[in-house]
Amino acid sequence: MDILLVISRLLDYPDESIAESEKEISRIIWQAEISSPLKDKLQAFLWQQLDRDILDWQSEYDGLFERGRSLGLWLFEHVHGESRDRGQAMVDLMAQYREAGLEISKHELPDYIPLFLEFAATQGKENAKGWLQDVEHILALLKSRLEKRDSGYAVLFETLLDIAGTDLNLEKIRQQVEAEKRDDTAEALDKEWEEEEVTFGADSLEKSCGTNNRKPSESQRADLDVPVHWVDFETYKQKSEASNSERNS
């Protein structure tokens, strides 16, 4: 599903390569199996971002996704926070990547959403839809938080939810988000730094912004619908709301 590759690239750190690939990105958007209104919104988002100075775009990206945790692009951050369960969950997810014949850089965290989408894009339409359904509550939460900040990035998560065929009560999630305190203010960030940071090794904290070093090779592509399942994710869902509530109290 090439549209997942497009969304993955647009959710990753912006650079000049996006402008260089504008025609190809637009072609994929208009050929995607999504509604016409969504195609219009995705194309409008792409053009709006490309019309800006790249430094302004990068500054917006940093302000959204690199300040605070509420818009973090790591799936397990929204499920486990910094608990030890997060480390084991990433080990389990990495094992499933390898089971499907995919390898990623040792500097990558497997729950990074752009990477997760690149993986899902190689798994065939039905499997990709299933993976998105497994994390739909996180996608909906991020969409609602971006909407609250009037960010155009919300359309990327709206598209993912559309592909997943979600039946979530989005209005309920919006109400939850409306009651949240923002965690990207100076006061909130200062409080965060007062807490001891939990890491899983120095190498694990390094992130690569490029895409070429983590795309699967042609021999690794799993378009034959290799069965894959999110390890114990149903049990994680039950912890998510409690974790988010504690974080925002």
Side-chain angles (χ1 to χ4, degrees):
M1 297 186 70
D2 288 345
I3 188 61
L4 295 184
L5 296 177
V6 164
I7 297 174
S8 169
R9 185 64 192 94
L10 293 177
L11 273 177
D12 210 341
Y13 193 76
D15 58 34
E16 298 290 354
S17 68
I18 298 180
E20 296 168 0
S21 305
E22 177 185 353
K23 290 185 178 179
E24 178 65 10
I25 291 174
S26 295
R27 180 190 67 79
I28 292 173
I29 288 174
W30 290 104
Q31 291 182 353
E33 296 181 20
I34 56 178
S35 67
S36 293
L38 266 181
K39 292 178 182 180
D40 290 337
K41 292 169 72 173
L42 281 173
Q43 185 69 70
F45 172 76
L46 175 64
W47 284 340
Q48 179 183 21
Q49 298 302 96
L50 290 178
D51 283 344
R52 308 173 63 186
D53 184 273
I54 187 62
L55 294 179
D56 291 336
W57 187 356
Q58 291 172 344
S59 178
E60 176 198 20
Y61 185 93
D62 288 337
L64 285 171
F65 301 115
E66 302 295 340
R67 289 174 63 89
R69 297 181 177 181
S70 63
L71 287 176
L73 294 177
W74 290 269
L75 291 166
F76 294 137
E77 172 74 15
H78 301 282
V79 179
H80 301 296
E82 294 296 343
S83 73
R84 293 182 179 180
D85 289 340
R86 184 184 181 195
Q88 185 58 52
M90 288 196 290
V91 170
D92 293 339
L93 182 57
M94 180 72 79
Q96 294 214 30
Y97 284 5
R98 289 172 176 163
E99 183 181 343
L102 303 173
E103 291 288 342
I104 66 174
S105 166
K106 67 178 181 179
H107 300 310
E108 294 280 7
L109 295 180
D111 62 337
Y112 182 52
I113 293 178
L115 174 59
F116 175 78
L117 294 176
E118 286 194 17
F119 164 71
T122 70
Q123 298 304 298
K125 180 179 178 180
E126 291 305 314
N127 277 327
K129 182 177 179 180
W131 278 94
L132 293 177
Q133 288 174 346
D134 282 341
V135 298
E136 62 183 3
H137 63 295
I138 299 176
L139 303 178
L141 193 62
L142 291 169
K143 173 182 180 293
S144 299
R145 287 172 175 166
L146 287 165
E147 287 176 340
K148 183 179 179 180
R149 300 192 192 186
D150 296 320
S151 172
Y153 273 95
V155 70
L156 303 182
F157 291 94
E158 180 181 355
T159 303
L160 293 176
L161 290 170
D162 182 77
I163 295 171
T166 184
D167 59 358
L168 289 175
N169 186 338
L170 293 178
E171 188 55 38
K172 183 177 180 180
I173 295 175
R174 291 189 184 101
Q175 291 174 4
Q176 172 192 332
V177 167
E178 192 61 33
E180 292 178 347
K181 296 179 181 179
R182 288 184 58 153
D183 65 353
D184 62 335
T185 63
E187 180 181 1
L189 291 171
D190 285 344
K191 182 178 180 180
E192 178 66 24
W193 278 107
E194 291 175 359
E195 301 176 2
E196 181 179 0
E197 185 178 19
V198 178
T199 65
F200 303 102
D203 287 345
S204 296
L205 295 178
E206 299 180 27
K207 304 189 296 293
S208 169
C209 294
T211 57
N212 291 335
N213 67 329
R214 63 168 182 255
K215 286 188 177 180
S217 67
E218 286 302 314
S219 63
Q220 289 176 319
R221 291 185 63 85
D223 294 321
L224 298 179
D225 284 342
V226 176
V228 283
H229 305 282
W230 193 278
V231 178
D232 293 333
F233 202 84
E234 290 301 319
T235 61
Y236 299 158
K237 286 183 180 180
Q238 298 172 6
K239 300 178 182 178
S240 180
E241 290 188 4
S243 176
N244 286 329
S245 176
E246 291 176 2
R247 184 180 306 153
N248 294 303
S249 61

